[in-house]
């Protein structure tokens, strides 16, 4: 009986979290629309921050508990899992029924891909150069990369596109 109650409690927790996440996104979208922000800017700011807070807290706790390798592995494997499952499953389901999924790669998405690739490459190079130990200075480099990324993301949104004539 206790195992059944644990299963029911788990399902109820998932349902409540899904409900709260949906309402939070709706509130953020409403506030963004009222402020004149697009969903792209909300996606790279508030929604992205909300999506990673749980990982940030968990990875910090794991690292402080004396398992820094586990925390670093989680940092890199969480996005891999997200890409493989949270993106892979819906794309597979869509393409199974409707064929190839066309995606417009707007400047915001291209910037995100480029910054992610550069950040991963930079981290890999710094780790390899330092006998696979990441120095504190690299953390500040990553903060700077993220700051430039945020500024460029907002600039892409606020500045009108220019097309060659």
């Amino acid at each position: 009986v206790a195992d059944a109650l644990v299963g029911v409690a788990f399902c109820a927790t998932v349902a409540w979290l899904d409900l709260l996440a949906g309402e939070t996104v709706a509130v953020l979208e409403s506030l963004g629309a009222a402020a004149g922000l697009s969903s792209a800017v909300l996606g790279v700011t508030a929604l992205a921050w909300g999506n990673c807070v749980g990982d940030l807290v968990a990875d910090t706790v794991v690292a402080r508990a004396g398992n820094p390798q586990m925390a670093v592995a989680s940092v890199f494997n969480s996005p891999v899992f997200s890409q493989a499952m949270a993106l892979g499953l819906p794309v597979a389901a869509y393409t199974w029924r409707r064929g190839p999924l066309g995606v417009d790669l707007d400047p915001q998405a291209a910037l995100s891909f480029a910054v992610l690739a550069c950040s991963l490459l930079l981290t890999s190079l710094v780790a390899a150069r330092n006998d696979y130990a990441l120095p504190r200075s690299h953390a500040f480099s990553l903060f700077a990369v993220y700051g430039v990324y945020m500024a460029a993301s907002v600039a892409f949104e606020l500045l009108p596109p220019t097309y060659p004539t």
Side-chain angles (χ1 to χ4, degrees):
V1 173
D3 289 339
L5 287 176
V6 169
V8 169
F10 177 78
C11 291
T13 300
V14 169
W16 275 107
L17 288 174
D18 180 59
L19 175 72
L20 290 172
E23 292 303 314
T24 302
V25 168
V27 167
L28 284 172
E29 286 178 339
S30 297
L31 292 173
L37 298 173
S38 74
S39 60
V41 169
L42 288 173
V44 299
T45 56
L47 296 176
W49 297 334
N51 191 33
C52 77
V53 165
D55 287 342
L56 174 66
V57 171
D59 294 339
T60 302
V61 168
V62 168
R64 287 187 175 180
N67 296 308
Q69 289 180 328
M70 185 185 300
V72 170
S74 175
V75 165
F76 287 103
N77 288 307
S78 179
V80 170
F81 178 80
S82 183
Q83 287 293 315
M85 296 301 161
L87 180 62
L89 289 175
V91 169
Y94 180 92
T95 57
W96 180 267
R97 291 188 174 177
R98 298 185 180 126
L101 174 62
V103 178
D104 293 329
L105 191 61
D106 63 356
Q108 186 72 259
L111 174 68
S112 296
F113 287 139
V115 170
L116 177 61
C118 289
S119 173
L120 290 172
L121 180 62
L122 176 65
T123 299
S124 298
L125 292 173
V126 168
R129 186 166 188 230
N130 291 290
D131 200 26
Y132 295 95
L134 294 173
R136 182 182 308 255
S137 60
H138 182 60
F140 296 110
S141 298
L142 292 173
F143 296 153
V145 166
Y146 187 71
V148 169
Y149 167 65
M150 290 300 301
S153 293
V154 171
F156 274 158
E157 186 63 28
L158 298 177
L159 300 175
T162 57
Y163 299 101
T165 55

